[in-house]
């Protein structure tokens, strides 16, 4: 890929950093030269790559914000695409949610923009050539059956949920009849969720659209609003659902028939939840990526919410029995014991934190090589938790490169500790004063670990705690 970068950029690659791909088997790298940067993708599935190349061009031509494809290797297995930075809608929302899971107006602003993009996709991209889709041109009966079998074999069986094979299959057939009854089809992104929506200068860009095909418009909206880890409050989902109906009605020049749209929308919500559960089972149990198991309680909570508030106009007695069995399992209704990762920020002017657990401590990362906002007067009164400082760090690619290397090192130990049944891992980040670089890195690492691994995370900022104690004592 370095040779491909040289051919495109006209300069050598000076830095290569692997990027975590979550549920994908594709490999991603950020390549940086003296003046240019890009994202390199390595994928042996050439047919999937060809789908990406076609849709990247087709969507760009229709005014949809997607990354440019800069260069493709001769074997079509490696390609370079536009670097859209590190801020997805998911990371933006996750880093700004309150303890009560509330969303602020700026967060809702981006969700509305995402819905605007979705409506634009559905209204302008229905004429693309779906023969380029992979693995199937339509989200039709067979494609839905694949997702339902994914749920059956990789969730129900792997997690020992009892079911009757014939009764479940009968309900699957009835469920598919219902989903496909109105025949409404158009452009379907397939994985239109917050991780695949990047924020660049207040504009949204869509990534990972290689699974695009023709299908029902309800599915992509279900993917956005009911993504498990986004964990949107139900009142926010309802607001955004209403916003979609308004925007879609305006775009069509006629009102969306709510009596037809809403029941089928919730049917596709259930289909999407089951597909996600199958994915979590496969990635978590078969591929041994434990952090996918962490998403299951969120999916179960979404399922529980739908079952309590929505009634489909179709009888699915055995499928309902299976759903009720899942939502009643105690392991999805309580906090599980397991590994606790204790993360500290500290000042090298003082001392490295002591591990009181008796395990002798863990990782210590030196953050002093990163750009230092403490050298600038406008940041001195802030810490690495404040948005001004967060924005400062996010403008430097070396910050992300540093953190990605930290995540790779920590991931090895976390997965090993979980597999061995260990209960504690200590991680410390140090900088000169213990207020900016170490705090920022500790915060980011805590969020990353909580999002990707099935463990508990506690966070302690030593210098900030000392400051708070001093301020409180002064107020006595």
């Amino acid at each position: 890929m370095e040779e491909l970068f040289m051919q495109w950029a006209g300069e050598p690659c000076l830095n290569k950093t692997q990027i975590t791909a979550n549920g994908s088997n594709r490999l991603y790298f950020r390549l940086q030269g003296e003046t240019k940067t890009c994202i390199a993708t390595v994928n042996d599935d050439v047919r999937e790559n060809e789908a990406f190349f076609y849709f990247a061009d087709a969507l760009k031509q229709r005014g949809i914000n997607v990354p440019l494809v800069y260069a493709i290797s001769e074997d079509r297995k490696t390609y370079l695409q536009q670097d859209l930075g590190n801020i997805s809608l998911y990371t933006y929302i996750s880093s700004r949610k309150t303890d009560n899971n509330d969303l602020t107006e700026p967060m809702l602003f981006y969700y509305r923009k995402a819905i605007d993009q979705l409506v634009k996709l559905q209204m302008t991209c229905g004429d693309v050539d779906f023969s380029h889709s992979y693995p199937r041109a339509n989200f039709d009966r067979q494609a839905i059956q694949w997702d339902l079998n994914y749920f059956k074999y990789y969730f129900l069986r792997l997690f020992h949920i009892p079911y009757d094979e014939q009764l479940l299959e009968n309900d699957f057939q009835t469920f598919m009849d219902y989903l496909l009854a109105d025949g409404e089809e158009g452009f379907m992104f397939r994985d239109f969720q917050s991780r695949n929506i990047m924020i660049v200068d207040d504009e949204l860009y869509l990534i990972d659209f290689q699974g695009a095909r023709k299908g029902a418009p309800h599915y992509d909206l279900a993917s956005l609003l009911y993504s498990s880890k986004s964990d949107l409050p139900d009142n926010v989902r309802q607001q955004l659902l209403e916003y979609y109906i308004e925007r879609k009605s305006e775009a069509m020049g006629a009102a969306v028939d709510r009596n037809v749209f809403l029941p089928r929308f919730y049917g596709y919500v259930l289909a999407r939840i089951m597909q996600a559960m199958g994915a979590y089972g496969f990635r978590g149990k078969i591929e041994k990526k434990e952090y996918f198991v962490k998403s299951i309680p969120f999916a179960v909570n979404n399922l529980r919410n739908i079952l309590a508030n929505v009634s489909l106009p179709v009888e699915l007695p055995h499928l309902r029995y299976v759903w009720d069995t899942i939502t009643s399992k105690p392991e999805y209704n309580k906090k599980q014991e397991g590994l606790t990762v204790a993360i500290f920020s500290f000042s090298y002017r003082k001392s490295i934190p002591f591990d009181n657990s008796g395990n002798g401590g863990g990782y210590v990362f030196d953050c002093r090589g990163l750009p230092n906002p403490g050298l600038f007067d406008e940041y001195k009164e802030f810490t690495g938790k404040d948005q001004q400082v967060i924005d400062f760090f996010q403008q430097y690619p070396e910050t992300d490169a540093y953190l990605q290397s930290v995540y790779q090192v920590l991931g090895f130990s976390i997965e090993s500790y979980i597999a061995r049944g260990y209960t504690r891992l200590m991680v410390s980040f140090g900088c000169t004063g213990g207020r900016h670089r170490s705090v920022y890195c500790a915060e980011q690492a805590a969020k990353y670990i909580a999002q990707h691994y099935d463990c508990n995370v506690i966070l302690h900022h030593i210098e900030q705690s000392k400051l708070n104690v001093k301020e409180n004592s002064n107020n006595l």
Side-chain angles (χ1 to χ4, degrees):
M1 71 182 71
E2 288 89 344
E3 181 178 347
L4 191 63
F5 181 89
M6 182 68 182
Q7 294 172 5
W8 163 70
E11 61 186 35
C13 175
L14 302 178
N15 186 43
K16 179 175 77 172
T17 306
Q18 187 166 358
I19 301 172
T20 302
N22 293 314
S24 172
N25 290 323
R26 296 178 293 277
L27 301 177
Y28 293 96
F29 301 86
R30 173 170 281 111
L31 306 183
Q32 296 167 305
E34 185 175 350
T35 64
K36 293 185 178 181
T37 180
C38 70
I39 301 299
T41 306
V42 180
N43 181 19
D44 288 337
D45 193 332
V46 174
R47 285 189 60 205
E48 185 177 58
N49 293 341
E50 295 293 351
F52 181 85
F53 304 150
Y54 171 76
F55 284 115
D57 182 61
L59 297 182
K60 179 68 72 175
Q61 288 184 22
R62 289 160 177 79
I64 304 299
N65 291 335
V66 295
L68 294 170
V69 177
Y70 293 142
I72 304 171
S73 65
E74 289 186 8
D75 64 4
R76 315 292 278 183
K77 294 182 179 181
T78 301
Y79 55 94
L80 309 182
Q81 58 179 301
Q82 184 179 0
D83 186 349
L84 299 175
N86 306 307
I87 305 175
S88 67
L89 178 59
Y90 175 76
T91 57
Y92 179 88
I93 298 300
S94 299
S95 65
R96 289 162 174 81
K97 273 187 179 180
T98 67
D99 292 339
N100 295 324
N101 205 30
D102 294 330
L103 269 68
T104 63
E105 184 55 36
M107 300 180 197
L108 291 172
F109 167 77
Y110 284 118
Y111 262 101
R112 294 189 193 103
K113 285 180 75 76
I115 288 174
D116 290 341
Q117 284 281 308
L118 177 57
V119 171
K120 186 176 181 180
L121 274 170
Q122 294 175 348
M123 298 303 295
T124 63
C125 299
D127 64 337
V128 300
D129 184 357
F130 290 105
S131 68
H132 294 274
S133 298
Y134 176 76
R136 193 165 180 81
N138 290 72
F139 192 62
D140 54 11
R141 191 178 198 88
Q142 185 173 52
I144 298 174
Q145 182 77 65
W146 287 346
D147 281 358
L148 295 177
N149 286 340
Y150 203 37
F151 168 69
K152 178 169 68 174
Y153 295 120
Y154 290 114
F155 187 83
L156 299 185
R157 286 196 177 179
L158 290 180
F159 291 93
H160 308 293
I161 307 297
Y163 65 90
D164 182 289
E165 188 86 38
Q166 186 60 61
L167 294 179
L168 185 62
E169 185 62 30
N170 293 343
D171 280 1
F172 279 172
Q173 297 303 318
T174 302
F175 186 53
M176 289 187 289
D177 289 341
Y178 172 68
L179 292 179
L180 298 170
D182 70 353
E184 184 180 0
E185 289 186 320
F187 185 90
M188 183 175 133
F189 193 94
R190 173 60 171 169
D191 201 15
F192 194 84
Q193 46 108 345
S194 57
R195 291 184 187 274
N196 292 334
I197 301 172
M198 306 300 293
I199 301 175
V200 184
D201 297 329
D202 278 342
E203 291 297 324
L204 302 187
Y205 283 72
L206 307 181
I207 61 173
D208 281 0
F209 40 78
Q210 56 277 333
R213 64 197 69 181
K214 181 181 287 188
H218 316 72
Y219 189 92
D220 284 337
L221 183 63
S223 300
L224 178 68
L225 300 188
Y226 284 86
S227 172
S228 298
K229 291 301 290 292
S230 295
D231 195 27
L232 291 178
D234 194 56
N235 66 313
V236 171
R237 289 195 183 107
Q238 295 305 312
Q239 291 178 42
L240 295 174
L241 176 58
E242 290 298 323
Y243 181 77
Y244 171 85
I245 292 174
E246 292 172 8
R247 298 292 290 130
K248 189 66 176 287
S249 297
E250 292 173 5
M252 294 192 307
V256 171
D257 188 337
R258 300 169 63 88
N259 293 327
V260 174
F261 178 83
L262 289 176
R264 191 151 281 107
F265 166 72
Y266 285 112
Y268 276 101
V269 169
L270 290 167
R272 176 66 180 184
I273 291 172
M274 287 189 284
Q275 186 275 337
M277 286 181 166
Y280 298 152
F282 177 76
R283 300 293 184 186
K285 289 287 190 176
I286 302 299
E287 295 189 341
K288 306 299 183 183
K289 298 177 180 178
E290 287 292 331
Y291 51 87
F292 281 97
V293 178
K294 192 178 181 68
S295 296
I296 292 175
F298 294 95
V300 173
N301 189 57
N302 285 341
L303 177 61
R304 185 182 296 111
N305 180 278
I306 294 296
L307 296 179
N309 295 288
V310 176
S311 178
L312 297 182
V314 60
E315 294 295 323
L316 303 166
H318 196 66
L319 192 50
R320 179 66 194 234
Y321 160 77
V322 168
W323 291 335
D324 288 340
T325 301
I326 294 170
T327 57
S328 65
K329 288 181 75 68
E331 56 262 43
Y332 302 137
N333 291 280
K334 65 180 182 180
K335 187 71 174 179
Q336 299 295 299
E337 296 297 326
L339 175 66
T340 294
V341 181
I343 301 178
F344 295 79
S345 69
F346 70 95
S347 166
Y348 274 105
R349 288 173 175 167
K350 308 297 174 60
S351 62
I352 297 174
F354 177 75
D355 184 8
N356 293 314
S357 72
N359 293 328
Y363 289 105
V364 178
F365 293 100
D366 187 345
C367 305
R368 290 173 293 184
L370 296 175
N372 185 7
L375 299 176
F376 302 93
D377 290 339
E378 60 265 37
Y379 300 115
K380 287 184 177 179
E381 299 303 317
F382 297 105
T383 75
K385 297 173 64 175
D386 293 309
Q387 192 59 48
Q388 296 93 325
V389 177
I390 293 172
D391 293 339
F392 172 88
F393 283 117
Q394 289 182 343
Q395 68 181 314
Y396 292 98
E398 54 263 45
T399 306
D400 180 65
Y402 175 82
L403 286 173
Q404 290 295 333
S405 64
V406 167
Y407 300 157
Q408 287 187 318
V409 171
L410 292 180
F412 172 80
S413 287
I414 291 172
E415 292 178 2
S416 176
Y417 277 34
I418 290 173
R420 298 182 184 187
Y422 293 174
T423 60
R424 182 176 171 86
L425 173 64
M426 182 177 178
V427 180
S428 301
F429 294 88
C431 65
T432 304
R435 286 176 53 83
H436 296 105
R437 292 168 289 184
S438 61
V439 170
Y440 174 79
C441 290
E443 289 279 334
Q444 298 306 307
K447 290 171 185 174
Y448 180 87
I449 293 169
Q451 292 163 8
H452 290 82
Y453 298 97
D454 187 16
C455 60
N456 305 310
V457 180
I458 58 174
L459 187 58
H460 185 52
H461 300 299
I462 294 177
E463 295 306 312
Q464 189 66 28
S465 298
K466 291 177 181 178
L467 180 63
N468 291 339
V469 169
K470 183 178 179 180
E471 289 175 347
N472 290 335
S473 63
N474 290 338
N475 292 327
L476 292 177

